[in-house]
Amino acid sequence: MSPSQIIVLATPVFFVLIAVEYAIGLKRQRNTYRLDDTISSIGLGMLSQISAVLTRLLRVGIYTAVYSAVAIWPDHPFWTTWAGWLTALVFYDFCYYWLHRAGHESALFWAAHVVHHQSQDYNLSTALRQTSSGALVGWVFYLPMAVAGVPPLVFGVVALVDLLYQFWVHTQQVGKLGWFDRWFCSPSNHRVHHAVNDHYLDRNYGGILIVWDRLFGSFKEEDDTCVYGTRKPLNSWDPLWANGEVYWGLLKDSWHTRRWADKLRVWFKPPGWRPADVAARFPSPAFDIGHVQRYAPPMSRGVQAFAAAQFALLLAGVAGFLWFTDGWPLPRSAVVFAVLVVALWAIGAVMQGRISMGEALMIESGALAMATAALGATELHRVFKPLTMLIALAVVAAHASGRGGLRRANGLLMGALALSLAGDAFLMFPGYFIPGLVSFLLAHLAYIALFRQGLPWFPSRRALAATVGIGVAMYAFLWQGGLPAGLRAPVAAYVLVIALMAAQAIGRATLLRDGTSFAVALGAGFFMLSDTLLAINRFVSPLPMSQVWVLGTYYAAQVLIVVGVLRGYSPNSAPSGAGGATPRCR
């Protein structure tokens, strides 16, 4: 049984214990749970587990290679005795202590570890909040075990034991435990570790044993109320941003600093360290524990119910992925992984008020349409492909209010989506390429009219020259690649129209310079890319995993255009759960 399957079997136990902790908190009137934070934490745990499938080489492969090459006592029978297992567990916990300590004392390692600390709540769901990038650097700290000759199987088992032990210490419902606190990582000790209070900061790193902290001077006893989170709050439910936030900050500081030594030093100095020139140009506010505010964007009851239902379905999908993925080829795992990541992101975006529930369903349906095509699930693909455009039409219809230009914009958008739906339907069946091509050509003409609303034709001559130039080059490439003679004229017309559509969208963005018009322009660019990939795959040379690239870019284009237009043209377009009005185009 693989570690992923063991996690699946342990998951019901996790949820039972979470339910027990929640019930105890309610009874004591000390509830420590919020729906949005709990979904975010468990979602990050799911992302960590499914991404671990794709980083298995770093987690296990390098350890096995080092063990095979340089182990001092390989295959020694000691490691399979009870004393050997116990020694391996203590050895692992010792290595974990130093990895954990590095995660708080070096910016690069903190960038991976920060995910576990971002929650401003502290409960058993926080234990499941794990990094998805830790495998990129963390393996280095366990190489001494490989050199000593701890077999990979023993290493994997004790790693899992160490990880599972740490689940129960993430609670505020268990007080101090006397002598146990002096030797082992306990709830009291670990609460200190998660606190941002000055006297608690960067303490109590032990995984199972707290004696490492006592030996190496990093122990602090709990003696005051803990404030949880990070000193630079995440303030987001986005799982991708949660994993990338600190890396992005380090990249920016490394880019902006003028000294070459500082460009490297910023990655290895303690978290919060910044080059003097960068700190002067881009100052950060000092941390003040008295002004810490809990991140809690408003959510309606409908959004809460939607997020909970979506999360339950996603949990089932992740469990199935983890259970079966070891028997799948890597491309299949990668496609399903992408769908699960999209769904995780969409749930966070709805809770945060960045997109509406309908837009989330459109995004998820598009991801499923792409995946079912790539995996050869034809019947399901014939469901999700038209369903995606039907959801998009419903989303636009729900926003279809206003007079004059607003009504015309919504009408043009619905027309473009309806024609796209017709094109999708035609292209799902052999022999209907030309009707599909004509449907999409008409859809792009509708998009051109939509993007022109309130603006002149092709306001950026550079954009027009660039897109038409790209179109001409693409057409020449297709001609040389074997474009059938009977399709040369229709394809030429199509290439011209989509180039003009992209030029009009980009020109709009150059004039208005707002986020919504840039989103639309990016969507138009994705449309050009999608059609280019489709044409290459059909007329020049088959592309590996072509459906992933063609449909992935196609649905990215449609989503960006729909969301961008609805935000840009409608005065009342803030999604459910969002606060305040959304700026609109002139």
Side-chain angles (χ1 to χ4, degrees):
M1 184 172 290
S2 71
S4 295
Q5 291 175 325
I6 294 173
I7 292 295
V8 172
L9 294 177
T11 298
V13 179
F14 295 153
F15 278 92
V16 168
L17 293 174
I18 286 171
V20 170
E21 184 191 27
Y22 177 66
I24 291 172
L26 290 179
K27 185 176 180 180
R28 294 177 174 177
Q29 297 185 338
R30 288 172 49 198
N31 177 39
T32 59
Y33 282 91
R34 293 179 294 154
L35 178 66
D36 43 16
D37 182 83
T38 300
I39 288 177
S40 178
S41 290
I42 300 176
L44 282 161
M46 292 193 293
L47 180 59
S48 175
Q49 288 298 316
I50 62 177
S51 62
V53 170
L54 305 180
T55 58
R56 187 178 289 114
L57 176 63
L58 288 174
R59 293 183 298 110
V60 179
I62 294 177
Y63 183 95
T64 302
V66 172
Y67 171 83
S68 301
V70 300
I72 299 173
W73 298 290
D75 302 317
H76 197 286
F78 167 75
W79 296 112
T80 57
T81 65
W82 71 267
W85 282 98
L86 183 59
T87 301
L89 181 59
V90 173
F91 197 170
Y92 181 92
D93 201 58
F94 178 74
C95 295
Y96 172 83
Y97 169 84
W98 290 107
L99 168 61
H100 200 180
R101 186 163 181 166
H104 285 254
E105 297 182 355
S106 174
L108 177 63
F109 290 92
W110 173 246
H113 182 58
V114 67
V115 175
H116 184 61
H117 284 264
Q118 288 163 339
S119 174
Q120 293 174 304
D121 297 337
Y122 188 77
N123 51 54
L124 291 177
S125 74
T126 311
L128 303 178
R129 187 185 186 101
Q130 298 291 331
T131 178
S132 296
S133 63
L136 300 177
V137 290
W139 55 269
V140 174
F141 284 82
Y142 299 108
L143 292 185
M145 296 182 69
V147 173
V150 178
L153 176 61
V154 175
F155 170 78
V157 171
V158 298
L160 191 60
V161 170
D162 204 276
L163 177 65
L164 292 175
Y165 172 89
Q166 294 177 55
F167 175 76
W168 80 280
V169 302
H170 293 80
T171 180
Q172 298 183 59
Q173 305 299 344
V174 177
K176 293 192 175 185
L177 299 176
W179 68 267
F180 190 89
D181 291 341
R182 292 193 292 273
W183 293 92
F184 295 96
C185 179
S186 65
S188 175
N189 292 332
H190 206 62
R191 286 193 290 267
V192 167
H193 176 72
H194 274 257
V196 293
N197 312 57
D198 286 337
H199 57 297
Y200 287 159
L201 205 62
D202 300 333
R203 299 290 181 179
N204 298 0
Y205 300 114
I208 293 179
L209 297 173
I210 205 69
V211 292
W212 309 125
D213 293 280
R214 294 182 181 275
L215 285 171
F216 300 112
S218 55
F219 178 77
K220 180 70 177 75
E221 189 169 356
E222 183 181 26
D223 55 16
D224 193 9
T225 303
C226 297
V227 177
Y228 301 106
T230 56
R231 293 199 158 199
K232 184 179 180 183
L234 175 66
N235 289 342
S236 174
W237 303 132
D238 185 336
L240 302 181
W241 180 240
N243 277 279
E245 173 206 20
V246 175
Y247 290 111
W248 179 245
L250 293 174
L251 277 171
K252 288 196 298 183
D253 283 356
S254 181
W255 173 263
H256 287 300
T257 188
R258 295 182 178 87
R259 296 182 58 191
W260 284 99
D262 283 345
K263 290 181 182 294
L264 181 63
R265 191 179 292 123
V266 70
W267 295 91
F268 298 100
K269 281 287 191 175
W273 182 88
R274 305 179 75 200
D277 58 336
V278 174
R281 292 168 61 197
F282 309 102
S284 297
F287 175 75
D288 183 354
I289 199 168
H291 288 82
V292 171
Q293 292 185 342
R294 182 171 291 186
Y295 179 68
M299 287 200 301
S300 68
R301 289 188 180 276
V303 169
Q304 292 179 39
F306 177 85
Q310 288 270 297
F311 183 73
L313 291 172
L314 182 60
L315 185 63
V318 168
F321 174 81
L322 293 176
W323 190 264
F324 294 109
T325 187
D326 285 334
W328 291 348
L330 182 60
R332 182 184 182 90
S333 294
V335 169
V336 179
F337 169 82
V339 173
L340 295 173
V341 170
V342 167
L344 272 170
W345 179 88
I347 293 172
V350 169
M351 293 194 304
Q352 198 168 326
R354 297 172 64 185
I355 61 175
S356 69
M357 293 180 281
E359 289 161 353
L361 290 175
M362 178 188 175
I363 292 168
E364 292 166 351
S365 182
L368 287 168
M370 175 275 293
T372 50
L375 299 177
T378 305
E379 295 305 316
L380 286 174
H381 177 65
R382 288 175 178 173
V383 172
F384 286 112
K385 193 171 188 183
L387 179 61
T388 304
M389 288 297 102
L390 288 171
I391 294 172
L393 285 165
V395 168
V396 177
H399 286 73
S401 60
R403 301 186 303 274
L406 298 179
R407 184 171 294 175
R408 285 194 298 274
N410 283 323
L412 287 169
L413 180 56
M414 291 189 72
L417 292 172
L419 288 164
S420 296
L421 172 60
D424 285 342
F426 283 126
L427 292 182
M428 283 193 293
F429 300 96
Y432 290 90
F433 180 76
I434 291 297
L437 189 72
V438 172
S439 297
F440 277 112
L441 185 145
L442 295 174
H444 291 315
L445 288 174
Y447 277 134
I448 292 174
L450 172 64
F451 301 156
R452 186 190 174 273
Q453 290 284 291
L455 295 175
W457 288 108
F458 312 113
S460 171
R461 294 295 181 257
R462 289 184 180 180
L464 179 62
T467 57
V468 171
I470 292 171
V472 169
M474 189 64 235
Y475 185 73
F477 179 71
L478 294 176
W479 184 297
Q480 293 296 321
L483 182 66
L487 291 176
R488 288 172 182 172
V491 170
Y494 186 86
V495 168
L496 177 61
V497 169
I498 196 170
L500 294 177
M501 184 269 291
Q504 187 67 42
I506 296 170
R508 186 180 189 87
T510 58
L511 281 185
L512 300 184
R513 296 185 177 277
D514 57 39
T516 58
S517 58
F518 278 118
V520 170
L522 183 59
F526 272 121
F527 245 132
M528 285 194 73
L529 177 58
S530 177
D531 286 330
T532 298
L533 294 171
L534 174 65
I536 292 173
N537 182 68
R538 187 177 183 90
F539 301 121
V540 180
S541 176
L543 300 174
M545 301 294 290
S546 60
Q547 297 287 6
V548 172
W549 316 121
V550 173
L551 291 178
T553 50
Y554 169 68
Y555 287 119
Q558 295 283 25
V559 168
L560 285 167
I561 289 173
V562 168
V563 173
V565 169
L566 293 182
R567 299 294 188 279
Y569 286 78
S570 174
N572 300 309
S573 59
S576 176
T582 314
R584 56 192 177 99
C585 297
R586 288 182 282 116

